[in-house]
Amino acid sequence: MMNWTCVPFAELTVQQLHDVLRLRAEVFVVEQHCVFLEIDGLDPLTWHLLGVGDDGQLLAYTRLIPPGVKAPDALIGRVVTSPAARGGGSGRALMAESVARCEALWPGHAITLHAQAHLERFYASFGFAPSGEPYVEDGIPHIEMRKPLP
């Protein structure tokens, strides 16, 4: 069972912030071997979606960036599931919840994400379509994808 919390940065508890930064570093920096400034200054401007298990452990997370902060669309970023939660549908639940929260927070706005290219079909299953040319970021092939208005 996943329990969802979606709050702006100022409403994150210190423990939640710790857990988010730890999970992001564990996956993006250590597991994926990407040396980059993971804390990029956007966190205070965004909403944070946390999926926590019944044991209190952070299992899934996304950063929801409001329209106009980084692009005209709402953006879903820092999509991550804990290695301990993979293979049981947590990623699918995370994306469904992320899209629903974006649509509730910013109705009338399309949603964009910058997908790792090998996950293009996964994101397409949520209505996202490529909207740019493939590119490489931090040594990993990516593609911008956009979910238009319903």
Side-chain angles (χ1 to χ4, degrees):
M1 176 76 181
M2 190 92 66
N3 302 298
W4 297 105
T5 300
C6 187
V7 294
F9 181 80
E11 293 180 22
L12 286 170
T13 68
V14 173
Q15 185 64 53
Q16 287 172 323
L17 179 60
H18 169 270
D19 294 348
V20 164
L21 295 176
R22 179 182 171 92
L23 179 59
R24 288 176 10 186
E26 176 186 3
V27 174
F28 300 136
V29 177
V30 177
E31 181 181 301
Q32 296 180 355
H33 306 287
C34 294
V35 178
F36 72 110
L37 188 57
E38 206 287 317
I39 300 173
D40 61 2
L42 286 175
D43 288 324
L45 306 173
T46 66
W47 286 68
H48 301 267
L49 177 63
L50 294 81
V52 176
D54 290 334
D55 62 357
Q57 296 298 306
L58 180 63
L59 301 177
Y61 167 85
T62 55
R63 180 166 79 172
L64 309 176
I65 303 174
V69 170
K70 196 171 174 185
D73 294 344
L75 294 171
I76 297 174
R78 299 293 201 264
V79 179
V80 61
T81 56
S82 167
R86 293 183 191 152
S90 294
R92 185 155 289 288
L94 175 63
M95 278 310 299
E97 190 72 21
S98 297
V99 169
R101 296 293 179 133
C102 282
E103 290 173 345
L105 287 166
W106 307 295
H109 287 275
I111 305 168
T112 294
L113 54 79
H114 297 266
Q116 291 185 7
H118 73 278
L119 295 171
E120 183 177 339
R121 287 181 52 207
F122 171 76
Y123 291 116
S125 72
F126 292 95
F128 289 88
S131 59
E133 294 299 315
Y135 62 96
V136 175
E137 184 175 334
D138 299 315
I140 299 172
H142 282 74
I143 187 157
E144 183 175 304
M145 299 184 77
R146 186 169 191 262
K147 179 177 175 50
L149 295 172

